[in-house]
Amino acid sequence: MASRPVLISMGDPAGIGPEIVMRALRERPALRREVVVVGDMATLRRAARLGGVAPDSAEGGLVLAGLDEPAQWAGLPRGAVGVLQAGEALAPPPWGQVSAVAGHAAAAAIRLGAQPALDGRARALVPAPIHKEALAAAGEPYPGHTELLQALAAQHRGVPVEALPVRMMLSAPGLATVLVSIHVPLREALAAVTTEGVLETVRIADTHFRRTGLARPRIAVAGLNPHAGEGGLFGCEEIEVIGPAVRAARDLGIEASGPHPPDTVFMRARQGAFDVVVAMYHDQGLIPVKLLGLEHGVNTTLGLPFVRTSPDHGTAFDIAGTGRASADSLLAAIDAAMAASPA
């Protein structure tokens, strides 16, 4: 048993988040000695019942025990699941529906889970999927986990958000990609391709992989335009913006290369030529990873002062409450968090 738990926030209570959390803990009972769930007790009990066994039953059930703080998890009876209640007790909302109530509950779980991760009482935070429309309906100013956690970390450190740059990395077996921009409209994402932004992304990626044990990570930087601009025929960003960032990274001792044609660089990385690809915008980087399969994909936020990983899929409102959702990606995210954070 570790000295500190990994925290798992329940995600949107109307989506598959609560049920895949409960399914993961049923499929891997040993995790109950490693994690604490952050969310709403009634919502989690509803999700636990989807497994066909009543929560708290003696045979095969998930015994859910309320905690006041993460450290109390160490004293739980063997097999019990510790739960930190986030906010007011909730009447579980209908499955598969966007609502401000659900968005507020999801945000409350993230905020409650972030604090122990920030002050060292938890090893890592693994949020289950949230719904961005529900967050917006609840009045949250942040479009997703990454931006909210960045703001909370900056507040904890007493610095402006811009002083704590973060990046999203999506990974699946054989491929990892880090994004220059995240959840912004495509027109704004193109404007975000600056020499400074690309260089900062490369530096953040290099720092992360060095911390995981790679002495000289091989970082491929994708171009923006078809065929990486074809020498300026299809756009000049590679010549005027991305190329200078790659050269600046190399001057810092980083093993960066590119800009590479984006239609082949991910294939080359999967074949072993590179350790990670820096992609210029959200879909350029995420489509190749998700094509490999959502069941093993992991979303990692680079640049935070704590480890944050999450499943590489959304709330799946169409199957929420059916008990059909797989916990594989969540389990992969938990494994990645435990591997990256000391026990």
Side-chain angles (χ1 to χ4, degrees), residues 10 57 61-62 75 96 124 134 143 152 162 178-179 194 196 198 215 217 240 277:
M10 70 175 181
S57 67
L62 290 168
L152 292 173
E162 56 270 19
V178 181
L179 310 180
T194 65
E196 295 76 14
V198 174
E240 298 174 355
V277 178

Short mmCIF file of all heavy atoms in Angstrom, two decimals, residues 10 57 61-62 75 96 124 134 143 152 162 178-179 194 196 198 215 217 240 277:
data_model
loop_
_atom_site.label_atom_id
_atom_site.label_comp_id
_atom_site.label_asym_id
_atom_site.label_seq_id
_atom_site.Cartn_x
_atom_site.Cartn_y
_atom_site.Cartn_z
N MET A 10 -14.90 11.86 -10.23
CA MET A 10 -15.93 11.02 -10.85
C MET A 10 -16.32 11.43 -12.25
O MET A 10 -16.95 10.67 -12.98
CB MET A 10 -17.20 11.01 -9.98
CG MET A 10 -17.94 12.33 -9.97
SD MET A 10 -19.51 12.24 -9.07
CE MET A 10 -20.12 13.93 -9.27
N SER A 57 -22.68 -4.76 -0.31
CA SER A 57 -23.06 -6.15 -0.04
C SER A 57 -21.83 -6.97 0.32
O SER A 57 -20.71 -6.60 -0.01
CB SER A 57 -23.74 -6.76 -1.27
OG SER A 57 -22.82 -6.90 -2.32
N GLY A 61 -19.63 -6.85 -3.65
CA GLY A 61 -20.02 -5.46 -3.76
C GLY A 61 -18.86 -4.52 -3.53
O GLY A 61 -17.77 -4.91 -3.14
N LEU A 62 -19.09 -3.25 -3.79
CA LEU A 62 -18.10 -2.20 -3.55
C LEU A 62 -18.53 -1.45 -2.29
O LEU A 62 -19.51 -0.72 -2.30
CB LEU A 62 -18.02 -1.25 -4.74
CG LEU A 62 -17.41 -1.84 -6.01
CD1 LEU A 62 -17.66 -0.91 -7.19
CD2 LEU A 62 -15.92 -2.05 -5.83
N GLY A 75 -6.72 3.95 6.81
CA GLY A 75 -7.35 3.18 7.87
C GLY A 75 -8.61 2.46 7.45
O GLY A 75 -9.31 1.90 8.31
N GLY A 96 -27.13 10.68 -19.37
CA GLY A 96 -27.03 11.12 -20.76
C GLY A 96 -27.61 12.48 -21.08
O GLY A 96 -27.91 12.75 -22.25
N ALA A 124 -1.39 11.77 -7.20
CA ALA A 124 -1.77 12.21 -8.54
C ALA A 124 -3.28 12.40 -8.57
O ALA A 124 -3.99 11.98 -7.65
CB ALA A 124 -1.35 11.17 -9.58
N ALA A 134 -21.82 20.97 -20.27
CA ALA A 134 -22.33 21.00 -18.90
C ALA A 134 -21.53 21.95 -18.05
O ALA A 134 -22.08 22.68 -17.20
CB ALA A 134 -22.31 19.59 -18.31
N PRO A 143 -12.88 25.66 -20.40
CA PRO A 143 -13.50 24.70 -21.33
C PRO A 143 -13.22 23.24 -21.02
O PRO A 143 -13.88 22.36 -21.57
CB PRO A 143 -12.89 25.09 -22.68
CG PRO A 143 -11.57 25.70 -22.34
CD PRO A 143 -11.79 26.41 -21.03
N LEU A 152 -6.05 26.47 -11.26
CA LEU A 152 -5.95 26.12 -9.85
C LEU A 152 -4.48 26.04 -9.41
O LEU A 152 -4.13 26.47 -8.30
CB LEU A 152 -6.65 24.79 -9.59
CG LEU A 152 -8.18 24.79 -9.75
CD1 LEU A 152 -8.72 23.37 -9.65
CD2 LEU A 152 -8.84 25.69 -8.73
N GLU A 162 -0.51 32.69 -17.04
CA GLU A 162 0.47 32.64 -18.12
C GLU A 162 1.88 32.30 -17.63
O GLU A 162 2.75 31.92 -18.43
CB GLU A 162 0.51 33.96 -18.89
CG GLU A 162 0.77 35.19 -18.05
CD GLU A 162 -0.51 35.83 -17.51
OE1 GLU A 162 -1.56 35.13 -17.48
OE2 GLU A 162 -0.46 37.00 -17.14
N VAL A 178 2.12 15.84 -28.31
CA VAL A 178 1.91 17.00 -27.45
C VAL A 178 1.42 18.15 -28.33
O VAL A 178 1.94 18.36 -29.43
CB VAL A 178 3.22 17.41 -26.72
CG1 VAL A 178 2.98 18.61 -25.82
CG2 VAL A 178 3.75 16.24 -25.90
N LEU A 179 0.44 18.90 -27.83
CA LEU A 179 -0.23 19.91 -28.64
C LEU A 179 0.25 21.33 -28.32
O LEU A 179 0.39 21.69 -27.16
CB LEU A 179 -1.74 19.85 -28.40
CG LEU A 179 -2.41 18.47 -28.51
CD1 LEU A 179 -3.90 18.60 -28.25
CD2 LEU A 179 -2.14 17.85 -29.87
N THR A 194 3.05 30.15 -33.10
CA THR A 194 4.11 31.15 -33.08
C THR A 194 5.43 30.47 -32.74
O THR A 194 5.44 29.37 -32.17
CB THR A 194 3.82 32.24 -32.03
OG1 THR A 194 3.84 31.62 -30.72
CG2 THR A 194 2.46 32.89 -32.26
N GLU A 196 7.47 31.29 -30.43
CA GLU A 196 7.54 31.18 -28.98
C GLU A 196 6.67 30.02 -28.49
O GLU A 196 7.07 29.25 -27.60
CB GLU A 196 7.10 32.48 -28.31
CG GLU A 196 8.01 33.67 -28.59
CD GLU A 196 7.83 34.26 -29.98
OE1 GLU A 196 6.81 33.93 -30.65
OE2 GLU A 196 8.70 35.04 -30.40
N VAL A 198 5.63 27.29 -30.15
CA VAL A 198 6.17 25.99 -30.55
C VAL A 198 7.38 25.64 -29.70
O VAL A 198 7.52 24.51 -29.22
CB VAL A 198 6.52 25.99 -32.05
CG1 VAL A 198 7.23 24.69 -32.44
CG2 VAL A 198 5.28 26.18 -32.89
N ALA A 215 17.06 10.19 -21.43
CA ALA A 215 18.14 11.19 -21.32
C ALA A 215 18.06 12.23 -22.43
O ALA A 215 18.30 13.42 -22.18
CB ALA A 215 19.49 10.48 -21.36
N PRO A 217 15.21 12.82 -25.21
CA PRO A 217 14.00 12.49 -25.97
C PRO A 217 14.10 12.98 -27.41
O PRO A 217 14.56 14.09 -27.67
CB PRO A 217 12.89 13.24 -25.21
CG PRO A 217 13.48 13.56 -23.89
CD PRO A 217 14.94 13.70 -24.07
N GLU A 240 9.04 30.41 -41.64
CA GLU A 240 9.12 31.64 -40.85
C GLU A 240 8.87 31.45 -39.35
O GLU A 240 9.32 32.27 -38.54
CB GLU A 240 8.09 32.65 -41.40
CG GLU A 240 8.36 33.04 -42.84
CD GLU A 240 7.27 33.92 -43.42
OE1 GLU A 240 6.24 34.14 -42.71
OE2 GLU A 240 7.40 34.36 -44.58
N VAL A 277 5.70 13.38 -30.82
CA VAL A 277 5.46 14.34 -31.90
C VAL A 277 4.81 15.58 -31.31
O VAL A 277 3.82 15.48 -30.56
CB VAL A 277 4.54 13.76 -32.99
CG1 VAL A 277 4.27 14.80 -34.08
CG2 VAL A 277 5.15 12.51 -33.61
#
